[in-house]
Amino acid sequence: MSDSIVIAHGGDLSHQSGGTNRVSAFASGLAAKGHDVTLVAPEPDGTLPDRLEALDTSFVSVPNSGVVDQPIRAAAIARRARSQANDSGGTVQFEHSTLGGVGQFFGEREYVLDMHDLAFASPLYGDLPLGSAVQRVIRGIEGRAVRSASAIVVVSENMRRLVREEWDLPAEKIRVIPNGYFADTVRPYRADETVSGRVTFLGTLHPKLDTTAIYEIAALPEVEEMVVIGSGAKEEELRDGKEERGLDALRIEGHLPDDEAFRLLSRSAVAINPQHRSSLQRASSPVKIYYYAALGLPMVLSAGPSVAAKLDDEGAAKTVQSDGSFVTAVQNVLSDETQRSEMRATAERLADEFSWSHRVASLSEVYESV
């Protein structure tokens, strides 16, 4: 393949999240490895991450307010990416299967497809009017995307299994590259002292977040602060629940700049990720967990994602099955300083392999082998 790569993404890259971090890590990392990278995305409404400053960008003025705008946005991004690749003789890398399917409709072939999740199974579409019909359409679009890709990248082994089973694809076509963390982001906070009794959740407050577990943790006598950092669909529910239950220990910070977020997180006694179980939850690769590990934090995590199982096996985390008590697991870890010390040391030992620099090296190998 050509050293020229056009990465197409349908979201606003100035809105930092696990998904946009993955895109910016891949784009900046491939450029650092000598590839000629152009990033095609919607016109941002904020400031881009510093890591993207030196990249060639081609921003498209499209509506970017939600699901209703997606077809228009996807068509504009896919056509611009195809045009850029034709001009440079490069390869397109589509971020998300729906965008890849639209690109295939416009004639793009032999591209690299980076699948963050399975779109058709998402409640984003299932909760719409005539949701089941919409999901069937989305599944058809995803099917076009995976069949025309020269290589598919997914975030976990569980995701690879789902994609293979759904579309009967050969294993060698799919490469697993999990999410990761930026080492430079967390390095200044690794030596911070622990605040006794602080439990923290960092991440998007999406529908699969188990808010009941957060309320119960905030009510524990061992907990001084249950800190929630992030925004999303569950934020209003959490704020209402805090007031209704009189949970003074529950701090809902909303979205914070990295410096404030990591300063709070790094001093936690325990970091958590309570999730409702589903096939998509099991196939996910939660970015927050890699940051927890990089900061050497003891973790209590809902079972499901591959990285949670690995951290549990190694002793850096406690995972909770769907029929288990998340709050009891948190209470047990908070009550055992020796255990927390061992978990911290193990998390720090494992963290290096989770960095984005390792993930980008794997993606570069995909381009070398296709």
Side-chain angles (χ1 to χ4, degrees):
M1 281 190 173
S2 167
D3 281 341
S4 177
I5 300 171
V6 178
I7 298 180
H9 178 57
D12 188 333
L13 289 165
S14 67
H15 295 175
Q16 290 200 52
S17 66
T20 56
N21 281 349
R22 183 176 178 89
V23 177
S24 66
F26 282 168
S28 58
L30 287 171
K33 286 186 171 295
H35 294 277
D36 180 11
V37 178
T38 300
L39 193 54
V40 177
E43 191 76 41
D45 64 13
T47 303
L48 293 176
D50 291 345
R51 69 187 74 95
L52 296 181
E53 285 185 354
L55 286 185
D56 289 333
T57 55
S58 180
F59 293 127
V60 184
S61 296
V62 287
N64 197 13
S65 59
V67 177
V68 175
D69 301 326
Q70 278 190 355
I72 298 171
R73 187 163 65 251
I77 297 296
R79 292 177 68 180
R80 177 71 63 83
R82 178 168 168 76
S83 174
Q84 291 279 343
N86 286 342
D87 290 345
S88 65
T91 301
V92 176
Q93 176 174 314
F94 286 115
E95 299 294 330
H96 293 292
S97 50
T98 47
L99 183 57
V102 173
Q104 192 272 353
F105 178 81
F106 284 111
E108 192 61 45
R109 301 291 188 276
E110 298 299 310
Y111 46 81
V112 172
L113 177 64
D114 181 25
M115 293 184 69
H116 300 213
D117 52 26
L118 278 186
F120 81 87
S122 169
L124 181 69
Y125 302 108
D127 291 344
L128 293 173
L130 302 175
S132 60
V134 174
Q135 286 180 311
R136 285 194 296 273
V137 172
I138 297 299
R139 184 183 181 282
I141 293 172
E142 287 188 283
R144 297 173 69 112
V146 298
R147 292 188 183 100
S148 292
S150 59
I152 301 168
V153 174
V154 296
V155 298
S156 70
E157 287 290 348
N158 287 335
M159 178 64 73
R160 171 153 60 181
R161 185 162 50 252
L162 284 177
V163 172
R164 286 193 65 198
E165 291 173 354
E166 195 65 44
W167 289 287
D168 191 26
L169 298 173
E172 61 270 16
K173 188 174 183 177
I174 308 173
R175 176 72 175 265
V176 177
I177 304 179
N179 286 320
Y181 73 94
F182 294 107
D184 290 345
T185 299
V186 298
R187 191 171 291 116
Y189 309 105
R190 280 180 168 152
D192 286 351
E193 293 183 7
T194 299
V195 174
S196 178
R198 176 182 288 175
V199 179
T200 303
F201 170 87
L202 169 68
T204 304
L205 308 181
H206 43 57
K208 60 188 176 189
L209 180 66
D210 185 351
T211 54
T212 299
I214 289 176
Y215 298 143
E216 292 176 349
I217 292 166
L220 285 173
E222 294 87 354
V223 172
E224 297 294 329
E225 300 176 324
M226 175 62 250
V227 182
V228 178
I229 305 169
S231 59
K234 290 277 191 174
E235 184 173 359
E236 185 176 352
E237 177 185 326
L238 279 168
R239 293 189 185 280
D240 291 343
K242 170 184 168 66
E243 297 303 318
E244 291 170 4
R245 298 166 187 249
L247 295 171
D248 294 338
L250 181 54
R251 291 176 53 184
I252 303 168
E253 298 290 337
H255 177 75
L256 294 176
D258 279 355
D259 181 62
E260 295 179 46
F262 286 112
R263 204 168 293 283
L264 275 171
L265 176 63
S266 65
R267 302 185 68 190
S268 302
V270 178
I272 63 170
N273 189 36
Q275 305 281 313
H276 295 296
R277 294 290 296 275
S278 69
S279 60
L280 290 184
Q281 181 264 347
R282 289 191 294 273
S284 65
S285 177
V287 171
K288 64 180 70 64
I289 295 179
Y290 301 111
Y291 279 100
Y292 293 170
L295 289 166
L297 298 176
M299 292 166 262
V300 177
L301 312 170
S302 289
S306 303
V307 64
K310 177 180 177 63
L311 290 166
D312 188 301
D313 290 343
E314 296 283 349
K318 292 295 181 183
T319 57
V320 181
Q321 302 296 327
S322 56
D323 58 351
S325 173
F326 201 96
V327 64
T328 299
V330 171
Q331 190 172 34
N332 289 342
V333 174
L334 277 175
S335 301
D336 190 339
E337 171 56 34
T338 299
Q339 181 183 37
R340 292 203 308 278
S341 178
E342 293 171 352
M343 294 170 82
R344 281 192 289 268
T346 303
E348 290 172 352
R349 174 175 59 81
L350 294 172
D352 184 59
E353 69 182 84
F354 300 151
S355 70
W356 274 123
S357 61
H358 280 72
R359 307 310 197 199
V360 170
S362 296
L363 181 60
S364 188
E365 290 173 5
V366 171
Y367 278 96
E368 293 168 4
S369 63
V370 172

